[in-house]
Amino acid sequence: MEHELFTSAAAPLPLPAGVAYLAGFALAWEEALLERLARISAAAPFRHMVTPGGRMMSVAMTNCGALGWISDRRGYRYAQRDPESGKPWPALPAVIRELAIAAAGEAGYAGFEPDACLINRYTPGARMSLHQDRDEHDRAAPIVSVSLGLPAVFLFGGLTRRDRPLRLPLAHGDVVVWGGPARLAYHGVAPVADGQHPKLGPQRINLTLRRAGLPKINAR
Ligand code: MD6
Ligand code: FE
C-alpha cells in the first residue's frame, strides 16, 4: 500500500493514504461528549454482542443515530432499532454530528453526513481483532473514529489480512478519519492495558461515525 507523510505535527507515523490522524481534535468537545455518552448509555445500555460464529465480543457496544451496527448469530448488519429494547436507537446528538463533520472536513472529506454512530467500550484486556468494515451500503463516505478514556494501540494493515499492521497509539481526544483508498483496510485494536483515566476511569470509549446508508435487506 502507498504511504504518505501525514501533515499533522503530532502524527507519530507515516500513515496509509486516505487516513488522517487528528491528535486531540475531540478535546474541544470533551465535556459535551461525556454528557451525551452518559445519556445515550442510559437509554441504550452497553452490551456484549455475539459474533455470527457464536463468540461473545470482549468489547461492549451501543449505538446512536438512525442506524446502529449490530452482531448476532444471523450476522453483522445495521438496524434501525435496538434489538434489546425494540426501540429506535437514541438520536445522534448535534454536537457529535458536528464534531464528525468537522473532523472529516479537516481530513479532506467535505460533505460527510453520518447516519450511524457505534459506541464501543473497552475495559482492560478487551480487544478487537483485525477486520474490514464492510457492512455499510455507502463506502464512498469516510469513517470518523473518536477515542476517549484509556489509551489504546490501533492496528492498521492493508487490503489483505496478510499485510503487517502499523501500530498507532491513540489517546483521549484523538480522532482518526479513514476513507478513500484505505476504506477497506484491515484494522483492529490491541488489548487495552490496565489503567485509570481521570475522566472515564478504567475504560476506553470509541465512537465510530459512519454513513451506513440503507440497512441491509435482512435488517430488523
Ligand atoms: C475502535 N474501531 O477503535 C474500533 N473501524 O474501537 C474500528 O473498528 C474502526 O476506529 C473503522 C474505522 C475506524 C475505527
Ligand atoms: Fe472497524
Side-chain angles (χ1 to χ4, degrees), residues 59 118 120 122 128 131 133 143-147 154 170 176 178 183 187-189 204-208 210:
V59 177
L118 170 65
N120 290 329
Y122 296 72
M128 191 168 293
H131 65 278
D133 288 9
I143 298 172
V144 174
S145 166
V146 179
S147 291
F154 197 46
L170 294 180
V176 178
W178 172 290
R183 179 63 183 75
H187 60 279
V189 179
R204 168 180 188 256
I205 302 282
N206 175 266
L207 288 77
T208 47
R210 302 180 166 100

Side-chain angles (χ1 to χ4, degrees), residues 27 30 34 147-151 171-173 194-205:
L27 291 175
E30 179 190 47
L34 298 180
S147 291
L148 296 169
L150 290 180
H172 180 72
D194 268 328
Q196 283 286 339
H197 185 269
K199 297 273 168 68
L200 280 159
Q203 58 180 342
R204 168 180 188 256
I205 302 282

Side-chain angles (χ1 to χ4, degrees), residues 10-155:
L13 288 171
L15 293 173
V19 181
Y21 167 69
L22 308 174
F25 191 84
L27 291 175
W29 284 266
E30 179 190 47
E31 227 176 290
L33 284 174
L34 298 180
E35 193 271 339
R36 299 311 184 278
L37 282 170
R39 281 172 190 268
I40 292 163
S41 62
F46 285 102
R47 80 293 305 264
H48 293 273
M49 297 186 194
V50 171
T51 64
R55 288 196 210 250
M56 167 108 79
M57 298 176 80
S58 62
V59 177
M61 299 180 172
T62 187
N63 290 277
C64 62
L67 294 170
W69 187 88
I70 61 172
S71 177
D72 62 19
R73 294 302 300 240
R74 292 167 46 222
Y76 304 126
R77 62 200 180 277
Y78 284 88
Q80 287 156 305
R81 290 175 181 271
D82 179 346
E84 293 294 321
S85 66
K87 295 192 293 195
W89 297 103
L92 178 65
V95 284
I96 301 182
R97 172 178 172 271
E98 284 156 17
L99 160 61
I101 291 171
E106 189 76 16
Y109 297 101
F112 181 51
E113 191 56 68
D115 60 12
C117 177
L118 170 65
I119 306 171
N120 290 329
R121 184 183 69 194
Y122 296 72
T123 49
R127 59 190 287 275
M128 191 168 293
S129 54
L130 284 182
H131 65 278
Q132 293 173 296
D133 288 9
R134 354 180 23 114
D135 302 317
E136 297 73 28
H137 178 79
D138 185 345
R139 299 224 185 114
I143 298 172
V144 174
S145 166
V146 179
S147 291
L148 296 169
L150 290 180
V153 175
F154 197 46
L155 307 168

